[in-house]
Amino acid sequence: MPSSTSSSERLTAADRPGVAQPVPERPVPARPWGPIALSVALIVAALMGLWEWRMRQLQLVPGDLDDGASAWAEQRRRIDAGDVAVAIVGDSRILFDTDLDRFEALTGVRPVQLALPGTNGRPFLQDLAADPDFKGLAIVGITEGSYFRDEVGLMDDALDTYHFESPAKRSSHLITTWLARRLAFLDEAYRLSVLVKRLDHGWRPEARSPYGEVWKIATMADERQTALWGRIETDTFLRDHARSVWTQRRPTSGVPVAPEVIARTQDATREAVKAIRARGGDVVFVRPPASPQLRVLEDARIPRPAGWDALIAVADVRGVHFDDYPSMQGLDIPEWSHLSRACALVFTDAYVRALAEFTPRLQLVADAPPSKVGFFASAPGAGALTDAAGLRPLLSVVQTGDAG
């Protein structure tokens, strides 16, 4: 018996010239599609609501905007759009430790915040030097271990994004920012994929451990106003994790900078300063605080005479180093690298007043708020940040590679 599906019985288009092929039809069974769609929507909304509630329990909040190359490029374009009186470049310390509101209250000027976490500030100073639109004051935040190196660092794509950002990428940033103002669970550091990865605490010996990476330590508002995440001040585990990353998990911690790198850094800085001054602008340096636990490693990498002091002399600039000002001592540095939110305001107050003493480009307004000098002189734990005794063993451990 021939098969009912044999080719001899199947009609094709060739068998029916001039007749259109029939459209296959498949009956759709009757289902309550409206209630099904509503149920799915309710389940998704309930799960999102639960996740949002959980993230807020972990002290994530709407309006904490993720930083990134697009956010940086957005601020960098402000220089293209008009005269900018003050721009800040550097690494995470000047980023975290500058309170833009306090800066503006003191001077009437709101700086453009262009500092980037984990990133060498020198290429961005050179970018300002090459921009004919910038004729203002560049405040360069210096952390020697970051500034005296050839590599750009964590945010090495920021300049490319500023120069060549696609419409799709810019649109994505705008949409993400709009959503982040309303939802806390969009925080990149607490996405489910990130949290799952952190479950691996050394289970795979050959894999890169997520415990060697910096986790969430910052919050960011509009105009890249960044501050230390409040939970770092209260959560012992998160605070100790950040400390271990800074002191034990960085391959260059305590490793001396090569003389040729120092020379290249000095030359590049001097030329950038000259270019900005040739257009009528100026450059000043600021060295934010660090705890004694980190200063041991930073001074081993490049001591102040070879780093800060020599750079100031070669580039012929003025600068504010926190070592030199009593008003910048005894501040709270919870995870040893960045000031608490309250102390960032105190430090901003102190360094802006210091800069105003030697650069006419910053002047205190008549109704400037009173000084914060001594505000944290008796802060809890402040005394522990004034003596590095007993920390030399940490340096030897890190340099020999025995740190965990």
Side-chain angles (χ1 to χ4, degrees):
M1 171 185 280
S3 171
S4 61
T5 59
S6 66
S7 59
S8 61
E9 298 180 4
R10 185 184 303 121
L11 295 178
T12 66
D15 299 320
R16 298 171 302 168
V19 180
Q21 283 283 75
V23 177
E25 293 184 4
R26 183 175 182 179
V28 178
R31 293 289 185 271
W33 296 114
I36 289 175
L38 179 60
S39 299
V40 171
L42 290 175
I43 291 172
V44 170
L47 292 175
M48 287 180 58
L50 286 172
W51 192 248
E52 177 75 2
W53 170 77
R54 177 55 181 159
M55 293 301 101
R56 295 195 187 198
Q57 274 197 324
L58 297 176
Q59 299 181 30
L60 304 183
V61 296
D64 181 2
L65 310 178
D66 285 328
D67 198 6
S70 291
W72 184 89
E74 186 176 53
Q75 293 303 304
R76 177 62 179 83
R77 293 189 192 99
R78 291 172 58 187
I79 295 175
D80 303 333
D83 290 337
V84 168
V86 179
I88 300 174
V89 298
D91 51 55
S92 63
R93 289 199 188 151
I94 196 68
L95 175 65
F96 285 47
D97 298 351
T98 296
D99 186 294
L100 299 180
D101 290 338
R102 188 67 175 188
F103 197 114
E104 185 176 21
L106 289 169
T107 65
V109 175
R110 192 171 187 84
V112 173
Q113 180 56 274
L114 298 178
L116 285 162
T119 305
N120 183 348
R122 189 180 68 255
F124 301 92
L125 174 63
Q126 292 174 294
D127 176 67
L128 290 180
D131 188 344
D133 291 327
F134 182 73
K135 304 179 180 67
L137 176 68
I139 298 177
V140 184
I142 298 287
T143 301
E144 290 86 348
S146 177
Y147 194 81
F148 286 87
R149 58 175 172 168
D150 292 328
E151 302 80 14
V152 178
L154 182 64
M155 301 294 294
D156 57 357
D157 61 336
L159 282 173
D160 284 342
T161 299
Y162 159 61
H163 289 293
F164 309 112
E165 187 176 26
S166 67
K169 188 172 184 179
R170 190 180 300 192
S171 299
S172 176
H173 166 66
L174 294 175
I175 293 170
T176 302
T177 300
W178 186 87
L179 291 171
R181 296 185 191 282
R182 293 155 177 83
L183 297 170
F185 75 81
L186 293 178
D187 194 302
E188 286 190 353
Y190 275 79
R191 291 182 177 174
L192 184 59
S193 59
V194 175
L195 298 179
V196 168
K197 190 169 82 167
R198 290 178 190 168
L199 295 175
D200 181 359
H201 195 172
W203 296 343
R204 299 171 299 162
E206 301 302 321
R208 180 178 178 181
S209 171
Y211 285 76
E213 302 170 355
V214 181
W215 294 354
K216 180 178 177 64
I217 60 172
T219 62
M220 196 188 84
D222 290 319
E223 298 179 324
R224 301 188 68 249
Q225 170 61 72
T226 306
L228 189 71
W229 187 26
R231 192 174 166 193
I232 300 297
E233 300 182 45
T234 59
D235 190 309
T236 302
F237 175 79
L238 292 180
R239 185 170 60 248
D240 288 347
H241 171 263
R243 290 175 176 179
S244 73
V245 172
W246 303 142
T247 58
Q248 301 178 27
R249 301 178 186 272
R250 292 297 176 90
T252 59
S253 293
V255 178
V257 178
E260 56 270 22
V261 174
I262 296 176
R264 284 196 295 270
T265 300
Q266 292 174 344
D267 292 342
T269 303
R270 181 179 61 246
E271 295 306 312
V273 170
K274 285 182 178 179
I276 291 175
R277 285 177 174 167
R279 292 196 302 270
D282 203 1
V283 180
V284 292
F285 290 171
V286 175
R287 208 309 185 172
S291 70
Q293 291 88 339
L294 281 188
R295 283 299 298 279
V296 170
L297 302 175
E298 292 170 352
D299 289 346
R301 183 154 173 73
I302 179 169
R304 176 172 172 171
W308 171 271
D309 293 343
L311 186 66
I312 290 288
V314 169
D316 188 25
V317 296
R318 300 289 298 273
V320 172
H321 195 298
F322 82 98
D323 279 346
D324 303 331
Y325 293 84
S327 59
M328 302 178 194
Q329 306 303 309
L331 300 180
D332 185 24
I333 314 175
E335 37 73 90
W336 294 350
S337 187
H338 307 95
L339 295 171
S340 67
R341 186 185 298 265
C343 284
L345 185 150
V346 177
F347 175 68
T348 302
D349 184 280
Y351 90 69
V352 169
R353 292 178 188 276
L355 290 177
E357 293 180 0
F358 59 74
T359 174
R361 292 180 173 273
L362 283 182
Q363 296 183 356
L364 301 184
V365 297
D367 59 344
S371 171
K372 289 288 186 179
V373 172
F375 188 77
F376 276 84
S378 59
L385 300 178
T386 59
D387 182 11
L391 295 175
R392 294 294 169 182
L394 173 62
L395 176 60
S396 63
V397 168
V398 174
Q399 289 182 325
T400 57
D402 295 330

